[in-house]
Every structure is written in structure tokens, then in C-alpha cells.
Amino acid sequence: MESGHWTMKIKPHERLWHIDLGEIWRYRDLIALFVRRNIVVEYKQTILGPLWYLIQPILTVVMNMVVFGGIAKMSTDGMPQALFYMAGNICWFYFADCLNQSSTTFTKNQDMFGKVYFPRLVVPISIVISNLLRFAIQAGLFAVLYLYFLLNGAAISINGTILLTPLLVIMLAGLGLGFGILISSLTTKYRDLAILFTFLVQLWMYATPIVYPLSMVEEGPLRTLIMANPITSIIEAFRYATLGQGYFSWLALGYSFLFMSVLLIFSVAIFNKVQRNFMDTV
């Protein structure tokens, strides 16, 4: 076998936080298949299909305008309500979708994982990529809405920080992926934690300045708590970049990026540990 080529090598266990990027890259065709599956299956046998990508943010923004802008009279710092809510919602939708869908990696794919080998991280990675399509469509809707208000004289403006948008999206994806695979790893053994995490994610949305500006929160423990939320600085930076108003801080963004990096390392370590014997648990 000196001239032969081994298709598989049995090696000792790597360190828990090890990610074999080369192996994941070799399975890029499988990632593409999973991405296609995620997009097709989600709206299979529906009447409106991908139009739900647009209907969801539109209905959510309308509800926000009626409840928080109309009834509760919450300020939007002078920004048009539709744009203010849309900017926060499309960012939150992407993060929440990545988190919720990747949090069921083990439980939803246990039959497939028990029959064939491939890097398990391929599944949550494909979820993050497939959700980019939804984010791109909703960002296009935001751009159309933005152009409408701009042509009608709204006091909005784009600034140089718009160049950070790809980084902001990567950070949202990284946080969603990190929390998702961590929850997936924990709920493999303790299924009731899935109910708790679902409830916590719903509360998390209100601890993020989506329906209210950060400027509404006075200095104190509550503002500190909201700033400790790594999603806060990302959404505020996106609003600042696109609307010209909002809270922008390199320090806050640096904190969110560091939080994402540490979370991914820790989550991958837990994920790698669980995947070694999760079939015995589920």
C-alpha cells in the first residue's frame, strides 16, 4: 500500500477545542446540499413560499409601530419608526434563526448521525449559511424602505461605518452558532432545558434594543446589563451605520467580538465532547 491512498485515517482524539477546518472544507459539497435542503424544506408545501421572508418582517414592524410606537409612545430618537424597527428586527431575526435552528443539531439529526460519518459541525454551519439568504432578502426590503424615506426627505444618512456591515453579520452568525451548538450539546442529555432556553430567548429579545433605542435607558445597573448583552452593540452599530443615529462604540464592538470568540471556543469544546458519545445518550 505504499503507493495507495488512504481515504480515512484513525487518529487519537484531538483537543476538545480543535476544529479540523481542512476536513470541513473537504465536505463543502455536503454543506451545499444541506443549505439547499434547509431552504427548500422550510417552505415546502406552502402557498406563499419564500414570500414569508418578506411577510414576517413587514408584519412584525407593523405590530411594533402599533404597540410600541403608537400605544406605548416609545421614542425612536427621531428616526422613522418603520426603518428603526426594521433595522433591529432583521438583525435579531438572523441571530435568533441561527441560534434556534442550530440548537437542535443533535436531536433532529440523530438518525442520520447514527448511520454515516461526517463532521458534525457541517450541519450548524449550513444553517448559518442558509439563513444568510433570508437576511439578504430582508436587507433588500430594508434598502427599498430606506430609499423611500430618503426620497421623502427623512433625516437619515449613511456613514463610513456601513463598511463594517459584513463584520456585524459575521458577529451575529458567530454568536448564533456559538449559543446554538452549546444549547444543542446541553439538551442532548437534559431535554427539559430546551423549554427553558426557548423561554430565555424570547426574554432576550426584550433585553436587546430592538423596539427601543439605547438612549432611553438611563445610566445605571439596567443599562450596564443591556450593554453586557453582546447583541446590543451590533444592532446599535447597524442603526448608526444606516440611519446616522444610534450608539456606536469601538470598545463595545470589541467586547462583542471577544465574547463571540470565547463563546465559539467554549461551545466547540462542549460540542466535540458530546458528539463522541451522544448516540449512547439520545
Side-chain angles (χ1 to χ4, degrees):
M1 294 297 295
E2 292 182 359
S3 60
H5 175 70
W6 296 104
T7 58
M8 178 176 292
K9 296 180 180 179
I10 300 176
K11 299 181 294 184
H13 289 310
E14 301 283 355
R15 294 178 178 177
L16 288 179
W17 56 82
H18 174 76
I19 303 177
D20 192 342
L21 296 178
E23 184 182 33
I24 293 176
W25 175 250
R26 288 194 295 274
Y27 281 85
R28 59 189 180 277
D29 291 337
L30 182 60
I31 294 178
L33 288 175
F34 280 146
V35 169
R36 183 178 182 277
R37 181 200 67 173
N38 295 338
I39 295 173
V40 172
V41 171
E42 184 173 8
Y43 293 113
K44 187 179 181 180
Q45 294 182 325
T46 59
I47 297 176
L48 299 178
L51 283 178
W52 284 109
Y53 288 159
L54 300 177
I55 295 174
Q56 181 189 17
I58 291 174
L59 292 180
T60 303
V61 167
V62 170
M63 183 187 69
N64 291 158
M65 292 175 64
V66 171
V67 176
F68 299 102
I71 299 176
K73 304 294 183 182
M74 285 189 175
S75 169
T76 58
D77 281 350
M79 291 176 272
Q81 288 186 355
L83 285 178
F84 177 86
Y85 295 130
M86 181 71 74
N89 277 308
I90 62 175
C91 292
W92 177 259
F93 286 156
Y94 180 58
F95 164 74
D97 287 340
C98 291
L99 190 161
N100 290 327
Q101 294 173 25
S102 60
S103 67
T104 57
T105 296
F106 285 124
T107 54
K108 277 192 174 181
N109 298 280
Q110 55 183 304
D111 293 336
M112 180 170 56
F113 286 171
K115 295 177 181 178
V116 62
Y117 170 78
F118 57 88
R120 306 314 187 199
L121 276 174
V122 161
V123 175
I125 289 174
S126 69
I127 290 172
V128 169
I129 296 175
S130 59
N131 281 328
L132 275 175
L133 173 63
R134 172 182 294 187
F135 179 81
I137 293 175
Q138 293 178 350
L141 175 63
F142 175 77
V144 171
L145 195 63
Y146 186 94
L147 184 61
Y148 169 80
F149 279 98
L150 188 65
L151 293 177
N152 282 272
I156 52 178
S157 62
I158 294 177
N159 51 66
T161 53
I162 193 68
L163 299 176
L164 293 176
T165 301
L167 176 61
L168 300 180
V169 175
I170 290 173
M171 291 169 66
L172 288 172
L175 288 167
L177 176 65
F179 280 113
I181 62 177
L182 177 61
I183 294 172
S184 179
S185 302
L186 295 177
T187 55
T188 299
K189 186 174 183 180
Y190 307 104
R191 296 296 181 89
D192 54 341
L193 287 178
I195 302 173
L196 174 63
F197 285 128
T198 300
F199 176 68
L200 290 178
V201 170
Q202 293 175 348
L203 292 181
W204 193 350
M205 185 183 71
Y206 294 102
T208 307
I210 297 173
V211 297
Y212 58 87
L214 186 61
S215 60
M216 273 189 63
V217 185
E218 298 180 355
E219 293 290 343
L222 181 59
R223 185 181 177 94
T224 302
L225 180 63
I226 292 176
M227 288 302 301
N229 177 1
I231 308 297
T232 295
S233 62
I234 300 175
I235 291 180
E236 284 291 316
F238 182 73
R239 284 198 180 117
Y240 178 79
T242 55
L243 304 179
Q245 296 187 52
Y247 177 82
F248 179 84
S249 168
W250 287 107
L251 182 62
L253 282 178
Y255 159 76
S256 295
F257 187 85
L258 179 62
F259 188 102
M260 176 201 69
S261 302
V262 173
L263 172 67
L264 282 175
I265 294 173
F266 177 75
S267 299
V268 167
I270 300 298
F271 189 88
N272 285 341
K273 182 178 180 180
V274 170
Q275 73 170 339
R276 293 175 180 176
N277 56 8
F278 86 97
M279 286 305 299
D280 298 329
T281 303
V282 297

